[in-house]
Amino acid sequence: MRIAVAIISRGRPLKLIGVVEGMAALASGKHEIIYGVRCDEDDPQTMEAAEALSTGHPILIQSGPRPATLGEAHNGLMAGMQGEAGPFGVFVSWIDRTFVVTPGWDEEIAREAAADSIRLMWWKSEQDPHPTHPVVPAGWYDACGGRVWAEFFPFWFANTWLAEVWELARGAELVFLNTVQYAGRRGRTQRLRDLMFWSEFYQAMRPMRVEEAARIRAVLGWPEPPNTAARVAEWEGQWKQFRWRMPEIERQFESGWEPDAQYLETRARAEAMMGGKAKA
């Protein structure tokens, strides 16, 4: 099977090298793996690392202005890889601080994707129980029209959005694969600020996820799952539990970064989508 590993990287050139070298070393050798690296044009160290990796591994490098949101970065890289080197049987969305620790990781992915060419899968992390790194089979990629990731958030949330759309569309629990390991202790998150606002925006946009799931079901000919109302109620309860911890979480993961024009534009767009009812 042809596997595309799409890696978003910024400011961590040594970790990027470790991620690619580690994945290559632990691969089974039974599948064709192409690595894609998204580099921002103002980050020459990452570009140099990607170019160095390309001498020993099949690497596609995508460079340009830094996208305003993580979803734009992921979607753009996946589309670029599909256009330049596709088609692929499966996409593995990745970042530059997460290391695979399971030998033969590609064999399990290929086996599961061959068994079900639509079902989304997720990597299991020992540090983070949430769905973080999706494995996207070709059938789901095509059903989404190539736009797998939500393009609204400057940090976090887009992966949770994707997991929720899957459950709303299929009515099935998430499937977790293997184990990945973060690079040491999970640290500060780039562009993290205004966590309460982004969490409330995420909650307010649930009707969009319901509509997105309905469109995908229509493409695939799936019926509406019978457990949707109960699952939505469960998510609402989880959010209420998460809400009171937000100040603590923001202190733990914020990077002290001052908002740039891109961030302010992204937030203004989100406020408009909420009808001007956004909270600080």
Side-chain angles (χ1 to χ4, degrees):
M1 180 173 287
R2 303 188 75 240
I3 299 173
V5 179
I7 306 171
I8 305 302
S9 184
R10 180 177 176 87
R12 303 184 182 102
L14 293 180
K15 288 180 179 177
L16 171 63
I17 292 172
V19 165
V20 174
E21 295 288 3
M23 293 185 90
L26 291 174
S28 68
K30 300 177 182 179
H31 305 280
E32 182 183 1
I33 303 171
I34 308 293
Y35 300 91
V37 179
R38 163 73 208 188
C39 304
D40 298 330
E41 62 185 10
D42 63 344
D43 185 6
Q45 290 81 13
T46 298
M47 175 64 76
E48 291 172 4
E51 290 174 345
L53 285 165
S54 68
T55 63
H57 304 285
I59 301 278
L60 299 177
I61 301 173
Q62 183 182 87
S63 180
R66 185 181 188 184
T69 68
L70 283 175
E72 292 172 68
H74 281 293
N75 287 337
L77 179 56
M78 292 167 73
M81 295 184 72
Q82 184 79 333
E84 188 171 345
F88 293 99
V90 65
F91 286 90
V92 178
S93 289
W94 214 252
I95 58 173
D96 58 8
R97 69 179 184 190
T98 310
F99 294 86
V100 175
V101 297
T102 304
W105 58 271
D106 57 321
E107 183 69 358
E108 180 174 3
I109 285 175
R111 182 175 63 250
E112 294 293 338
D116 189 333
S117 64
I118 298 173
R119 182 183 59 193
L120 274 178
M121 297 167 282
W122 301 83
W123 289 75
K124 180 175 64 176
S125 170
E126 304 221 340
Q127 287 89 352
D128 189 349
H130 302 99
T132 303
H133 302 296
V135 177
V136 184
W140 184 265
Y141 182 85
D142 292 341
C144 294
R147 186 183 174 277
V148 174
W149 292 80
E151 298 182 348
F152 309 124
F153 303 95
F155 64 94
W156 295 357
F157 294 106
N159 45 14
T160 308
W161 181 295
L162 177 57
E164 190 171 314
V165 168
W166 161 257
E167 291 197 56
L168 287 167
R170 189 60 167 169
E173 294 184 357
L174 303 181
V175 174
F176 287 89
L177 305 172
N178 289 319
T179 302
V180 298
Q181 184 79 25
Y182 282 110
R185 182 179 180 184
R186 186 174 179 184
R188 304 294 182 179
T189 297
Q190 296 173 3
R191 280 184 166 172
L192 191 155
R193 62 180 297 116
D194 305 330
L195 181 57
M196 182 68 77
F197 166 78
W198 289 108
S199 178
E200 292 188 349
F201 172 70
Y202 178 87
Q203 291 300 113
M205 293 301 105
R206 178 157 288 120
M208 285 190 68
R209 297 192 286 281
V210 172
E211 292 176 5
E212 184 177 342
R215 288 195 299 271
I216 292 171
R217 285 200 306 272
V219 170
L220 297 172
W222 289 350
E224 181 176 358
N227 59 339
T228 297
R231 195 68 182 101
V232 168
E234 185 178 347
W235 288 326
E236 293 288 349
Q238 291 171 351
W239 180 74
K240 290 177 182 178
Q241 294 178 2
F242 174 68
R243 193 176 190 277
W244 70 270
R245 294 186 55 232
M246 285 186 201
E248 170 197 345
I249 294 170
E250 187 161 5
R251 285 193 300 270
Q252 180 180 357
F253 292 111
E254 63 86 22
S255 60
W257 167 81
E258 290 299 319
D260 57 15
Q262 271 191 336
Y263 176 87
L264 296 175
E265 181 180 348
T266 302
R267 170 155 176 160
R269 181 177 63 181
E271 289 174 349
M273 293 173 67
M274 292 179 72
K277 299 178 182 180
K279 297 181 182 179

